[in-house]
Amino acid sequence: MFIHIPLLLLALSNIIHAYCIHNKLEDGTSITVLQDEYRIRKSMRFRKTIDAGTYECCHYSNRDCSPKQTKDMAVFFIIQINSDEPTEFIAQCYSGGGLNIYGSQGIYKAICLSSTGYKYEVELMKS
């Protein structure tokens, strides 16, 4: 029982201090994520390609991830599903939480996690 507590605390500290984007696509497809923030120069924005089953994080105190350096700032992400027919979506979450992308073969959904641990589904809008 005690072995799991440090892992849980580590996971919670990552959630509280950074937004993490998890690629949970079931078909093994990678995603490319770009933070869509007009106040940040394109060269400084969070941009990562994330393999299926992995994730990337960015601390909310990093101006590349949260210009106001707060964990409750709305953040928009452009998400490209890197399949044979690439599809692009936009999703909104908050800078101190997380974003999980689920699905396969053209049927996708996004779940955000707030900095307080609240989970909610968000619409994936075609860009």
Side-chain angles (χ1 to χ4, degrees):
M1 180 68 175
F2 291 109
I3 294 172
H4 298 291
I5 292 173
L7 294 175
L8 177 63
L9 292 175
L10 178 62
L12 287 175
S13 69
N14 284 339
I15 291 168
I16 293 167
H17 297 295
Y19 65 68
C20 294
I21 302 168
H22 294 257
N23 178 351
K24 297 187 178 246
L25 295 180
E26 298 150 12
D27 59 6
T29 303
S30 69
I31 60 175
T32 299
V33 179
L34 170 67
Q35 182 178 343
D36 186 26
E37 175 57 55
Y38 69 91
R39 289 173 279 189
I40 303 174
R41 288 191 324 247
K42 259 191 177 178
S43 63
M44 295 178 65
R45 295 180 196 174
F46 176 87
R47 180 184 176 87
K48 300 284 181 179
T49 297
I50 306 168
D51 292 328
T54 65
Y55 64 93
E56 292 285 342
C57 299
C58 195
H59 198 279
Y60 70 81
S61 68
N62 180 340
R63 287 193 188 275
D64 295 353
C65 307
S66 177
K68 294 181 182 178
Q69 297 179 299
T70 63
K71 61 184 174 185
D72 58 355
M73 179 184 161
V75 180
F76 291 88
F77 298 101
I78 299 171
I79 303 151
Q80 179 177 318
I81 310 293
N82 299 320
S83 60
D84 292 337
E85 295 180 29
T87 308
E88 236 179 48
F89 298 99
I90 296 175
Q92 177 189 350
C93 289
Y94 290 90
S95 54
L99 172 63
N100 295 336
I101 306 297
Y102 296 92
S104 65
Q105 301 175 356
I107 301 171
Y108 306 106
K109 75 175 185 176
I111 304 287
C112 286
L113 182 65
S114 72
S115 63
T116 60
Y118 176 71
K119 288 183 182 181
Y120 55 99
E121 188 167 350
V122 294
E123 181 181 0
L124 284 172
M125 300 170 280
K126 288 231 178 188
S127 65

